[in-house]
Short mmCIF file of all heavy atoms in Angstrom, two decimals:
data_model
loop_
_atom_site.label_atom_id
_atom_site.label_comp_id
_atom_site.label_asym_id
_atom_site.label_seq_id
_atom_site.Cartn_x
_atom_site.Cartn_y
_atom_site.Cartn_z
N ASP K 1 -1.65 -18.27 7.46
CA ASP K 1 -0.33 -18.87 7.26
C ASP K 1 0.33 -19.04 8.62
O ASP K 1 -0.04 -18.39 9.60
CB ASP K 1 0.53 -18.01 6.33
CG ASP K 1 0.74 -16.61 6.86
OD1 ASP K 1 1.54 -16.44 7.81
OD2 ASP K 1 0.10 -15.67 6.35
N ARG K 2 1.30 -19.87 8.71
CA ARG K 2 1.88 -20.29 9.99
C ARG K 2 2.55 -19.16 10.77
O ARG K 2 2.66 -19.23 12.00
CB ARG K 2 2.88 -21.43 9.79
CG ARG K 2 4.01 -21.10 8.85
CD ARG K 2 4.94 -22.29 8.62
NE ARG K 2 5.94 -22.40 9.69
CZ ARG K 2 6.11 -23.47 10.44
NH1 ARG K 2 5.37 -24.53 10.24
NH2 ARG K 2 7.05 -23.50 11.36
N ALA K 3 2.98 -18.11 10.10
CA ALA K 3 3.71 -17.04 10.76
C ALA K 3 2.87 -15.80 11.02
O ALA K 3 3.40 -14.78 11.47
CB ALA K 3 4.92 -16.65 9.91
N ARG K 4 1.58 -15.87 10.79
CA ARG K 4 0.74 -14.68 10.83
C ARG K 4 0.62 -14.08 12.23
O ARG K 4 0.39 -14.77 13.22
CB ARG K 4 -0.65 -15.01 10.32
CG ARG K 4 -1.62 -13.84 10.31
CD ARG K 4 -1.29 -12.83 9.24
NE ARG K 4 -1.34 -13.42 7.91
CZ ARG K 4 -1.36 -12.70 6.80
NH1 ARG K 4 -1.34 -11.37 6.85
NH2 ARG K 4 -1.39 -13.31 5.62
N LEU K 5 0.78 -12.76 12.29
CA LEU K 5 0.46 -11.98 13.47
C LEU K 5 -0.80 -11.17 13.17
O LEU K 5 -0.99 -10.71 12.04
CB LEU K 5 1.59 -11.02 13.85
CG LEU K 5 2.94 -11.64 14.21
CD1 LEU K 5 3.94 -10.53 14.56
CD2 LEU K 5 2.82 -12.61 15.37
N ILE K 6 -1.63 -10.97 14.18
CA ILE K 6 -2.86 -10.21 13.99
C ILE K 6 -2.96 -9.13 15.05
O ILE K 6 -2.53 -9.31 16.20
CB ILE K 6 -4.10 -11.13 14.03
CG1 ILE K 6 -5.36 -10.35 13.65
CG2 ILE K 6 -4.24 -11.81 15.39
CD1 ILE K 6 -6.55 -11.23 13.39
N ARG K 7 -3.50 -7.99 14.65
CA ARG K 7 -3.64 -6.87 15.57
C ARG K 7 -4.57 -7.24 16.72
O ARG K 7 -5.64 -7.80 16.51
CB ARG K 7 -4.21 -5.67 14.80
CG ARG K 7 -4.09 -4.34 15.51
CD ARG K 7 -4.66 -3.22 14.66
NE ARG K 7 -4.02 -3.18 13.34
CZ ARG K 7 -2.86 -2.60 13.09
NH1 ARG K 7 -2.19 -2.03 14.09
NH2 ARG K 7 -2.35 -2.59 11.88
N THR K 8 -4.15 -6.95 17.95
CA THR K 8 -5.00 -7.26 19.09
C THR K 8 -6.13 -6.24 19.20
O THR K 8 -6.08 -5.15 18.63
CB THR K 8 -4.20 -7.25 20.41
OG1 THR K 8 -3.69 -5.93 20.65
CG2 THR K 8 -3.05 -8.24 20.36
N LYS K 9 -7.13 -6.59 19.95
CA LYS K 9 -8.26 -5.70 20.16
C LYS K 9 -7.81 -4.43 20.88
O LYS K 9 -7.03 -4.49 21.81
CB LYS K 9 -9.34 -6.42 20.98
CG LYS K 9 -9.90 -7.65 20.26
CD LYS K 9 -10.80 -8.47 21.15
CE LYS K 9 -11.30 -9.70 20.41
NZ LYS K 9 -12.15 -10.57 21.25
N TYR K 10 -8.28 -3.30 20.39
CA TYR K 10 -7.95 -1.96 20.89
C TYR K 10 -6.53 -1.52 20.57
O TYR K 10 -6.06 -0.51 21.09
CB TYR K 10 -8.23 -1.84 22.40
CG TYR K 10 -9.65 -2.15 22.77
CD1 TYR K 10 -9.98 -3.34 23.40
CD2 TYR K 10 -10.67 -1.26 22.45
CE1 TYR K 10 -11.29 -3.64 23.72
CE2 TYR K 10 -11.99 -1.56 22.77
CZ TYR K 10 -12.29 -2.75 23.40
OH TYR K 10 -13.59 -3.04 23.71
N SER K 11 -5.86 -2.24 19.70
CA SER K 11 -4.51 -1.83 19.29
C SER K 11 -4.58 -0.59 18.42
O SER K 11 -5.52 -0.36 17.66
CB SER K 11 -3.83 -2.96 18.51
OG SER K 11 -2.63 -2.50 17.90
N TYR K 12 -3.55 0.22 18.49
CA TYR K 12 -3.39 1.39 17.63
C TYR K 12 -2.99 0.92 16.23
O TYR K 12 -2.32 -0.10 16.07
CB TYR K 12 -2.31 2.29 18.21
CG TYR K 12 -2.09 3.60 17.49
CD1 TYR K 12 -3.06 4.60 17.52
CD2 TYR K 12 -0.91 3.86 16.80
CE1 TYR K 12 -2.86 5.81 16.88
CE2 TYR K 12 -0.69 5.07 16.16
CZ TYR K 12 -1.68 6.04 16.20
OH TYR K 12 -1.46 7.24 15.56
N ASN K 13 -3.42 1.67 15.21
CA ASN K 13 -3.01 1.40 13.83
C ASN K 13 -2.25 2.63 13.34
O ASN K 13 -2.84 3.67 13.07
CB ASN K 13 -4.23 1.14 12.95
CG ASN K 13 -3.84 0.67 11.56
OD1 ASN K 13 -2.86 1.12 10.98
ND2 ASN K 13 -4.63 -0.25 11.00
N ILE K 14 -0.94 2.49 13.22
CA ILE K 14 -0.10 3.63 12.88
C ILE K 14 -0.30 4.10 11.44
O ILE K 14 0.02 5.25 11.10
CB ILE K 14 1.39 3.28 13.13
CG1 ILE K 14 2.23 4.56 13.20
CG2 ILE K 14 1.90 2.34 12.06
CD1 ILE K 14 3.65 4.32 13.66
N LYS K 15 -0.85 3.25 10.58
CA LYS K 15 -1.03 3.61 9.18
C LYS K 15 -1.99 4.80 9.02
O LYS K 15 -1.78 5.65 8.17
CB LYS K 15 -1.56 2.42 8.38
CG LYS K 15 -0.56 1.27 8.25
CD LYS K 15 -1.18 0.13 7.46
CE LYS K 15 -0.21 -1.03 7.34
NZ LYS K 15 -0.83 -2.17 6.60
N ASN K 16 -3.05 4.79 9.80
CA ASN K 16 -4.03 5.87 9.66
C ASN K 16 -4.49 6.44 11.00
O ASN K 16 -5.52 7.12 11.07
CB ASN K 16 -5.24 5.38 8.86
CG ASN K 16 -5.83 4.10 9.43
OD1 ASN K 16 -5.53 3.72 10.56
ND2 ASN K 16 -6.65 3.44 8.66
N HIS K 17 -3.72 6.16 12.05
CA HIS K 17 -3.96 6.76 13.36
C HIS K 17 -5.36 6.46 13.90
O HIS K 17 -6.07 7.34 14.38
CB HIS K 17 -3.72 8.27 13.30
CG HIS K 17 -2.41 8.64 12.66
ND1 HIS K 17 -1.19 8.32 13.22
CD2 HIS K 17 -2.14 9.27 11.49
CE1 HIS K 17 -0.21 8.76 12.43
NE2 HIS K 17 -0.76 9.33 11.37
N THR K 18 -5.73 5.21 13.81
CA THR K 18 -6.99 4.75 14.38
C THR K 18 -6.72 3.61 15.34
O THR K 18 -5.58 3.18 15.52
CB THR K 18 -7.95 4.26 13.27
OG1 THR K 18 -7.31 3.21 12.53
CG2 THR K 18 -8.32 5.39 12.31
N TYR K 19 -7.77 3.11 15.95
CA TYR K 19 -7.66 1.99 16.87
C TYR K 19 -8.59 0.87 16.42
O TYR K 19 -9.62 1.11 15.78
CB TYR K 19 -8.05 2.42 18.29
CG TYR K 19 -7.02 3.30 18.97
CD1 TYR K 19 -6.97 4.67 18.70
CD2 TYR K 19 -6.10 2.77 19.86
CE1 TYR K 19 -6.02 5.48 19.31
CE2 TYR K 19 -5.15 3.56 20.47
CZ TYR K 19 -5.12 4.91 20.20
OH TYR K 19 -4.18 5.71 20.80
N LYS K 20 -8.23 -0.34 16.77
CA LYS K 20 -9.11 -1.48 16.51
C LYS K 20 -10.20 -1.48 17.57
O LYS K 20 -9.91 -1.68 18.76
CB LYS K 20 -8.32 -2.80 16.55
CG LYS K 20 -9.19 -4.03 16.28
CD LYS K 20 -8.37 -5.30 16.16
CE LYS K 20 -9.25 -6.51 15.98
NZ LYS K 20 -8.50 -7.77 15.79
N ILE K 21 -11.43 -1.24 17.15
CA ILE K 21 -12.54 -1.11 18.09
C ILE K 21 -13.73 -1.95 17.65
O ILE K 21 -13.88 -2.25 16.46
CB ILE K 21 -12.99 0.37 18.23
CG1 ILE K 21 -13.48 0.89 16.88
CG2 ILE K 21 -11.87 1.23 18.79
CD1 ILE K 21 -14.17 2.22 16.96
N PRO K 22 -14.59 -2.35 18.59
CA PRO K 22 -15.77 -3.12 18.23
C PRO K 22 -16.84 -2.22 17.63
O PRO K 22 -16.99 -1.06 18.01
CB PRO K 22 -16.23 -3.70 19.57
CG PRO K 22 -15.76 -2.71 20.58
CD PRO K 22 -14.46 -2.17 20.05
N VAL K 23 -17.58 -2.75 16.67
CA VAL K 23 -18.71 -2.04 16.10
C VAL K 23 -19.90 -3.00 16.04
O VAL K 23 -19.72 -4.22 15.96
CB VAL K 23 -18.42 -1.49 14.68
CG1 VAL K 23 -17.29 -0.49 14.72
CG2 VAL K 23 -18.08 -2.62 13.71
N SER K 24 -21.09 -2.44 16.09
CA SER K 24 -22.30 -3.26 15.98
C SER K 24 -22.71 -3.38 14.52
O SER K 24 -22.25 -2.62 13.65
CB SER K 24 -23.43 -2.63 16.79
OG SER K 24 -23.86 -1.43 16.18
N ILE K 25 -23.59 -4.30 14.25
CA ILE K 25 -24.09 -4.46 12.88
C ILE K 25 -24.80 -3.20 12.43
O ILE K 25 -24.64 -2.74 11.29
CB ILE K 25 -25.03 -5.68 12.80
CG1 ILE K 25 -24.25 -6.96 13.07
CG2 ILE K 25 -25.72 -5.74 11.45
CD1 ILE K 25 -25.11 -8.22 13.12
N ASP K 26 -25.58 -2.59 13.31
CA ASP K 26 -26.30 -1.36 12.96
C ASP K 26 -25.36 -0.22 12.60
O ASP K 26 -25.68 0.61 11.75
CB ASP K 26 -27.20 -0.93 14.12
CG ASP K 26 -28.34 -1.90 14.36
OD1 ASP K 26 -28.68 -2.65 13.42
OD2 ASP K 26 -28.89 -1.92 15.48
N MET K 27 -24.21 -0.17 13.25
CA MET K 27 -23.26 0.91 12.99
C MET K 27 -22.68 0.84 11.59
O MET K 27 -22.21 1.85 11.06
CB MET K 27 -22.14 0.89 14.04
CG MET K 27 -22.58 1.33 15.42
SD MET K 27 -21.35 0.99 16.69
CE MET K 27 -19.97 1.97 16.13
N LEU K 28 -22.70 -0.34 10.96
CA LEU K 28 -22.15 -0.47 9.61
C LEU K 28 -22.91 0.39 8.61
O LEU K 28 -22.36 0.81 7.60
CB LEU K 28 -22.18 -1.92 9.16
CG LEU K 28 -21.19 -2.87 9.85
CD1 LEU K 28 -21.41 -4.29 9.34
CD2 LEU K 28 -19.76 -2.44 9.61
N ASP K 29 -24.19 0.66 8.87
CA ASP K 29 -24.98 1.47 7.95
C ASP K 29 -24.51 2.92 7.90
O ASP K 29 -24.74 3.62 6.92
CB ASP K 29 -26.46 1.43 8.36
CG ASP K 29 -27.08 0.07 8.14
OD1 ASP K 29 -26.63 -0.63 7.22
OD2 ASP K 29 -27.99 -0.31 8.90
N GLU K 30 -23.87 3.39 8.98
CA GLU K 30 -23.41 4.77 9.04
C GLU K 30 -21.89 4.87 9.00
O GLU K 30 -21.33 5.94 9.16
CB GLU K 30 -23.93 5.44 10.31
CG GLU K 30 -25.44 5.45 10.40
CD GLU K 30 -25.92 6.13 11.68
OE1 GLU K 30 -25.07 6.60 12.46
OE2 GLU K 30 -27.14 6.18 11.89
N PHE K 31 -21.25 3.75 8.78
CA PHE K 31 -19.80 3.67 8.86
C PHE K 31 -19.21 3.86 7.48
O PHE K 31 -19.56 3.18 6.53
CB PHE K 31 -19.39 2.29 9.39
CG PHE K 31 -18.06 2.26 10.06
CD1 PHE K 31 -17.96 2.19 11.43
CD2 PHE K 31 -16.89 2.29 9.31
CE1 PHE K 31 -16.72 2.13 12.06
CE2 PHE K 31 -15.66 2.24 9.92
CZ PHE K 31 -15.57 2.16 11.30
N THR K 32 -18.29 4.82 7.35
CA THR K 32 -17.55 4.99 6.11
C THR K 32 -16.07 5.01 6.45
O THR K 32 -15.66 5.51 7.49
CB THR K 32 -17.90 6.30 5.39
OG1 THR K 32 -17.66 7.41 6.25
CG2 THR K 32 -19.36 6.29 4.96
N TYR K 33 -15.28 4.45 5.57
CA TYR K 33 -13.83 4.43 5.78
C TYR K 33 -13.18 5.28 4.70
O TYR K 33 -13.30 5.02 3.52
CB TYR K 33 -13.30 3.00 5.71
CG TYR K 33 -11.80 2.92 5.77
CD1 TYR K 33 -11.11 3.56 6.80
CD2 TYR K 33 -11.08 2.26 4.80
CE1 TYR K 33 -9.74 3.50 6.86
CE2 TYR K 33 -9.70 2.20 4.84
CZ TYR K 33 -9.04 2.83 5.89
OH TYR K 33 -7.67 2.77 5.93
N ASN K 34 -12.52 6.35 5.12
CA ASN K 34 -11.79 7.19 4.18
C ASN K 34 -10.51 7.65 4.84
O ASN K 34 -10.04 7.03 5.78
CB ASN K 34 -12.65 8.38 3.73
CG ASN K 34 -13.32 9.06 4.91
OD1 ASN K 34 -12.69 9.30 5.93
ND2 ASN K 34 -14.61 9.35 4.79
N ASP K 35 -9.92 8.72 4.36
CA ASP K 35 -8.63 9.12 4.90
C ASP K 35 -8.76 9.94 6.18
O ASP K 35 -7.79 10.50 6.67
CB ASP K 35 -7.84 9.92 3.85
CG ASP K 35 -8.59 11.14 3.37
OD1 ASP K 35 -9.77 11.29 3.75
OD2 ASP K 35 -8.01 11.92 2.61
N ARG K 36 -9.96 10.04 6.74
CA ARG K 36 -10.15 10.71 8.02
C ARG K 36 -10.87 9.77 8.97
O ARG K 36 -11.63 8.90 8.56
CB ARG K 36 -10.99 11.98 7.83
CG ARG K 36 -10.31 13.03 6.96
CD ARG K 36 -11.14 14.28 6.90
NE ARG K 36 -10.51 15.29 6.06
CZ ARG K 36 -11.01 16.51 5.87
NH1 ARG K 36 -12.14 16.86 6.45
NH2 ARG K 36 -10.38 17.37 5.09
N LYS K 37 -10.67 10.00 10.25
CA LYS K 37 -11.34 9.18 11.25
C LYS K 37 -12.84 9.47 11.20
O LYS K 37 -13.26 10.61 11.08
CB LYS K 37 -10.82 9.49 12.66
CG LYS K 37 -9.33 9.34 12.83
CD LYS K 37 -8.99 9.57 14.29
CE LYS K 37 -7.49 9.58 14.51
NZ LYS K 37 -6.90 10.87 14.21
N ASN K 38 -13.67 8.45 11.31
CA ASN K 38 -15.11 8.67 11.35
C ASN K 38 -15.55 9.02 12.76
O ASN K 38 -14.77 9.00 13.71
CB ASN K 38 -15.86 7.43 10.83
CG ASN K 38 -15.55 6.20 11.64
OD1 ASN K 38 -15.76 6.18 12.84
ND2 ASN K 38 -15.02 5.18 11.00
N PHE K 39 -16.84 9.35 12.90
CA PHE K 39 -17.32 9.86 14.18
C PHE K 39 -17.18 8.85 15.30
O PHE K 39 -16.93 9.21 16.45
CB PHE K 39 -18.79 10.29 14.04
CG PHE K 39 -19.76 9.15 13.93
CD1 PHE K 39 -20.37 8.65 15.06
CD2 PHE K 39 -20.06 8.59 12.70
CE1 PHE K 39 -21.27 7.60 14.97
CE2 PHE K 39 -20.94 7.53 12.61
CZ PHE K 39 -21.56 7.04 13.74
N THR K 40 -17.31 7.57 14.99
CA THR K 40 -17.20 6.54 16.03
C THR K 40 -15.80 6.52 16.62
O THR K 40 -15.61 6.49 17.84
CB THR K 40 -17.53 5.16 15.45
OG1 THR K 40 -18.83 5.20 14.84
CG2 THR K 40 -17.51 4.10 16.52
N LEU K 41 -14.80 6.54 15.76
CA LEU K 41 -13.42 6.51 16.22
C LEU K 41 -13.07 7.79 16.98
O LEU K 41 -12.39 7.77 18.00
CB LEU K 41 -12.48 6.34 15.03
CG LEU K 41 -12.68 5.07 14.21
CD1 LEU K 41 -11.73 5.08 13.01
CD2 LEU K 41 -12.44 3.85 15.04
N ASN K 42 -13.55 8.93 16.47
CA ASN K 42 -13.26 10.20 17.15
C ASN K 42 -13.82 10.21 18.57
O ASN K 42 -13.16 10.62 19.52
CB ASN K 42 -13.86 11.35 16.35
CG ASN K 42 -12.96 11.77 15.19
OD1 ASN K 42 -11.75 11.66 15.28
ND2 ASN K 42 -13.57 12.24 14.12
N HIS K 43 -15.06 9.77 18.69
CA HIS K 43 -15.68 9.76 20.00
C HIS K 43 -14.94 8.84 20.96
O HIS K 43 -14.67 9.19 22.12
CB HIS K 43 -17.14 9.30 19.89
CG HIS K 43 -17.83 9.16 21.21
ND1 HIS K 43 -18.21 10.25 21.97
CD2 HIS K 43 -18.18 8.07 21.93
CE1 HIS K 43 -18.79 9.83 23.08
NE2 HIS K 43 -18.78 8.52 23.09
N PHE K 44 -14.58 7.67 20.48
CA PHE K 44 -13.85 6.70 21.30
C PHE K 44 -12.53 7.29 21.79
O PHE K 44 -12.20 7.23 22.98
CB PHE K 44 -13.60 5.44 20.47
CG PHE K 44 -12.76 4.40 21.15
CD1 PHE K 44 -13.30 3.57 22.12
CD2 PHE K 44 -11.42 4.23 20.82
CE1 PHE K 44 -12.54 2.60 22.73
CE2 PHE K 44 -10.66 3.27 21.43
CZ PHE K 44 -11.22 2.44 22.38
N LEU K 45 -11.77 7.89 20.90
CA LEU K 45 -10.46 8.44 21.25
C LEU K 45 -10.58 9.63 22.18
O LEU K 45 -9.77 9.79 23.10
CB LEU K 45 -9.70 8.84 19.98
CG LEU K 45 -9.36 7.69 19.03
CD1 LEU K 45 -8.61 8.23 17.81
CD2 LEU K 45 -8.52 6.64 19.72
N GLU K 46 -11.59 10.47 21.96
CA GLU K 46 -11.78 11.63 22.82
C GLU K 46 -12.05 11.21 24.26
O GLU K 46 -11.50 11.78 25.20
CB GLU K 46 -12.94 12.48 22.30
CG GLU K 46 -12.60 13.25 21.03
CD GLU K 46 -13.82 13.91 20.43
OE1 GLU K 46 -14.92 13.79 21.03
OE2 GLU K 46 -13.68 14.54 19.36
N ARG K 47 -12.91 10.20 24.43
CA ARG K 47 -13.24 9.74 25.79
C ARG K 47 -12.01 9.13 26.47
O ARG K 47 -11.74 9.40 27.64
CB ARG K 47 -14.37 8.72 25.75
CG ARG K 47 -15.66 9.22 25.14
CD ARG K 47 -16.10 10.55 25.69
NE ARG K 47 -16.24 10.55 27.15
CZ ARG K 47 -16.46 11.64 27.88
NH1 ARG K 47 -16.50 12.83 27.29
NH2 ARG K 47 -16.58 11.56 29.18
N ILE K 48 -11.25 8.32 25.75
CA ILE K 48 -10.07 7.69 26.33
C ILE K 48 -9.03 8.73 26.70
O ILE K 48 -8.38 8.64 27.76
CB ILE K 48 -9.48 6.65 25.36
CG1 ILE K 48 -10.43 5.46 25.20
CG2 ILE K 48 -8.12 6.17 25.84
CD1 ILE K 48 -10.70 4.71 26.49
#
């Protein structure tokens, strides 16, 4: 729609305290989304 805003890459998501990050196709096989951060997000945030 004409007024749409979209989250930028690496932006924080205040709803569930995660970040917009890139993932590979292979990572989708081990990726689960629930009310806790998954290992990929945890590792990314810890390093940053």
Side-chain angles (χ1 to χ4, degrees):
D1 60 75
R2 57 183 277 123
R4 180 72 60 166
L5 298 180
I6 188 168
R7 195 179 304 278
T8 64
K9 298 171 181 178
Y10 302 107
S11 169
Y12 185 68
N13 188 323
I14 197 171
K15 293 179 181 178
N16 52 15
H17 310 295
T18 58
Y19 288 81
K20 180 173 176 177
I21 61 169
V23 298
S24 69
I25 294 176
D26 293 338
M27 288 168 62
L28 289 177
D29 291 330
E30 301 180 1
F31 205 105
T32 58
Y33 174 53
N34 47 44
D35 57 353
R36 297 184 180 182
K37 304 184 186 83
N38 59 58
F39 73 93
T40 305
L41 300 176
N42 278 329
H43 176 72
F44 176 78
L45 297 180
E46 288 172 1
R47 301 311 304 172
I48 292 298

